[in-house]
Amino acid sequence: MSTRDLVLAALFAAIIVALGLVPPIMLGFIPVPISAQSLGVMLAGVVLGARRGGFAVLLVLLLVAIGLPVLSGGRGGLATFVSPTAGYLVGWFFAAFVTGYLSERFVDRSQSGIVQIAGFFLAALFGGVLIDHTLGILYLAYGTGTGLSTAFMGDLAFIPGDALKALIAAFAGRAVMVGYPLLPQRA
């Protein structure tokens, strides 16, 4: 990775951490909070691409692992990787990587603005919502003994908000593509 790649990954890691300052919302029926940090994960994939976006998330996960309170609600430490949210946290890496990969493959400058936004939205929806939620549900179901149907039904409450975050990431990706010539060089 070049110095530029490292700086961009660190910048998006900082954005993900900063989004953790937004207080989490607990729903009560599922031990996983609604957090703004998943927006940062989708943004990292859409704007930076698979490799740099995934690396940005790995930086955040490293900060969590060494105990810094960078997650929503001031959480951090190795214990978060065995908490009910562990599947979602590990899923962040895959979410950013898949979102970035799909963005790199299906969005380019030659497309119209609406096609770019749609491509970014579908990439963020598939990577940032489907992939992350699948891993989160699986860990919540089997790692905590909740059961697959209970974990799935509880997770449904997060889908509308995360779809909105995917839309925000899509518009941001389009804005960066228009205003900053970094995006075509994502790969």
Side-chain angles (χ1 to χ4, degrees):
M1 291 186 104
S2 69
T3 303
R4 178 181 179 174
D5 292 341
L6 293 174
V7 169
L8 288 169
L11 172 67
F12 273 81
I15 289 170
I16 295 168
V17 169
L19 287 169
L21 296 174
V22 176
I25 300 169
M26 294 302 292
L27 298 178
F29 57 86
I30 188 168
V32 178
I34 293 176
S35 163
Q37 287 180 298
S38 56
L39 171 61
V41 171
M42 290 181 223
L43 284 170
V46 163
V47 174
L48 297 181
R51 191 171 48 100
R52 292 184 289 195
F55 186 70
V57 172
L58 284 178
L59 287 175
V60 173
L61 295 178
L62 177 65
L63 295 174
V64 170
I66 63 174
L68 295 178
V70 297
L71 294 177
S72 183
R75 296 173 303 124
L78 289 176
T80 57
F81 292 101
V82 292
S83 73
T85 63
Y88 295 95
L89 290 178
V90 172
W92 281 1
F93 168 75
F94 297 102
F97 187 86
V98 170
T99 299
Y101 179 82
L102 293 175
S103 294
E104 289 170 356
R105 299 301 177 264
F106 299 118
V107 180
D108 62 53
R109 283 192 177 279
S110 66
Q111 297 169 327
S112 69
I114 194 73
V115 173
Q116 290 173 348
I117 290 169
F120 283 138
F121 175 70
L122 291 174
L125 200 61
F126 185 79
V129 180
L130 183 66
I131 299 293
D132 191 37
H133 285 250
T134 299
L135 293 172
I137 289 169
L138 289 174
Y139 183 80
L140 190 60
Y142 298 112
T144 64
T146 305
L148 191 58
S149 62
T150 304
F152 177 77
M153 293 306 290
D155 186 80
L156 288 177
F158 296 92
I159 301 298
D162 281 352
L164 178 62
K165 292 175 198 174
L167 187 61
I168 292 168
F171 278 104
R174 164 70 177 148
V176 170
M177 181 170 270
V178 169
Y180 190 63
L182 164 75
L183 212 48
Q185 303 163 8
R186 290 175 294 181

